Amino acid sequence: TDQTGNFPVQSSRGNRLIMVMYDVDGNYIDVEPLKDHKDKSMIAAYMALWTRVTRHRVEKPTLHILDNEASAAFKEAIRINSNLQLVPPDTHRRNLAERAIQTFKNHFVAILAGVDESFPMYLWDRLLPQAVLTLNLLRQANAAPEMSAYEYVNGKFDYNSSPLAPLGCAVQVHVAPGRRKTWDAHALSGYYLGTSMEHYRCHRIFCVKTRSERVSDTVVFQHRHITGLRLTPEDTIVKAIGDLKSLLIKRQNTIGDSERRAIIKLQRIFHTQTDVPVNKVHFSDLLPLPSETTARVDEPI
């Protein structure tokens, strides 16, 4: 483990820095926000990280490496769970957490660069759980290269039950009829803080009006760069021309098939329908469910 420097903005919960833990076997990076370097904060952050990293594992880590800047109370708390080893003086690069800090900071800075322009930066520490999740989904476990770092530590991630969205984007969250007055708006403005791992297909939202965090399953995302997935007329024309060319030379045209299948699958996941009807060129191998197409015979290619 190691600690980052102070974040430019103090969070609404009083956090100013981050403790970073790197698990060698899993190639897993986890973080926990800190208020200060005092023993109470350091030990609480360490115990939170230790609990998460070892919750689903039979073999627990046996060696903890950290810098020399650690109090006796903090080192004693570590010895309860594993052996302890300090890096040589003035040789911080021997601690793999130093490289993990750089990796996580790059990932988190990229996330902060994409938040909404009006996103209150004092909520930065509430974005950490999903930032850790997305980072480790992209990393490969050292002890089991066939799985991601996240799967090695936490088990398989199910996107269908825990959908992800861009962190910090503006949203409209639905207000249930029982929680609003007669003439109140049916939605409140807020910001997306991450998926809720304890609920099915729900999101954690910070509501601007109430200045509090709530969980909801009905959210409209207002990210400025999100566009709807659809097959444009140009896509259909290019595919039809490719099929005609392949037919003339008596070869099967497979160019664009995988991309088209991917778009159709995503449309089914997000329950959207393309605005452009499929023309009279029928691709039976691409559309396993003909009922989802609306072919028009009188429309030219």
Side-chain angles (χ1 to χ4, degrees), residues 38-57:
K38 295 181 180 179
D39 289 343
K40 181 179 180 180
S41 300
M42 295 282 288
I43 294 175
Y46 161 72
M47 292 305 301
L49 290 170
W50 175 265
T51 301
R52 289 200 297 265
V53 171
T54 60
R55 180 180 295 128
H56 302 288
R57 297 170 63 175

Side-chain angles (χ1 to χ4, degrees), residues 51-96:
T51 301
R52 289 200 297 265
V53 171
T54 60
R55 180 180 295 128
H56 302 288
R57 297 170 63 175
V58 177
E59 297 183 2
K60 303 183 185 302
T62 57
L63 178 63
H64 189 145
I65 301 175
L66 71 161
D67 291 337
N68 294 282
E69 299 177 359
S71 66
F74 183 43
K75 290 188 286 187
E76 189 62 29
I78 294 175
R79 289 191 178 97
I80 297 176
N81 297 320
S82 63
N83 295 324
L84 174 66
Q85 185 180 96
L86 302 178
V87 299
D90 302 322
T91 314
H92 296 277
R93 64 180 180 273
R94 290 279 295 273
N95 189 354
L96 294 178

Side-chain angles (χ1 to χ4, degrees), residues 60-190:
K60 303 183 185 302
T62 57
L63 178 63
H64 189 145
I65 301 175
L66 71 161
D67 291 337
N68 294 282
E69 299 177 359
S71 66
F74 183 43
K75 290 188 286 187
E76 189 62 29
I78 294 175
R79 289 191 178 97
I80 297 176
N81 297 320
S82 63
N83 295 324
L84 174 66
Q85 185 180 96
L86 302 178
V87 299
D90 302 322
T91 314
H92 296 277
R93 64 180 180 273
R94 290 279 295 273
N95 189 354
L96 294 178
E98 292 283 355
R99 186 64 182 84
I101 287 177
Q102 181 179 351
T103 301
F104 177 78
K105 286 176 64 176
N106 291 338
H107 183 70
F108 196 52
V109 167
I111 290 175
L112 295 178
V115 301
D116 191 81
E117 295 178 355
S118 60
F119 177 78
M121 200 54 65
Y122 58 78
L123 299 176
W124 63 267
D125 56 343
R126 308 193 191 198
L127 306 179
L128 293 178
Q130 185 162 311
V132 170
L133 188 155
T134 54
L135 174 62
N136 288 288
L137 285 176
L138 301 173
R139 295 171 64 83
Q140 187 180 42
N142 291 327
E146 69 278 3
M147 63 177 62
S148 67
Y150 180 89
E151 182 181 353
Y152 183 83
V153 174
N154 301 290
K156 289 184 177 295
F157 175 73
D158 187 1
Y159 178 84
N160 291 323
S161 61
S162 303
L164 304 177
L167 286 171
C169 73
V171 301
Q172 290 289 322
V173 57
H174 179 254
V175 181
R179 302 184 64 176
R180 64 173 186 258
K181 297 180 180 179
T182 305
W183 292 101
D184 282 352
H186 291 196
L188 293 176
S189 299

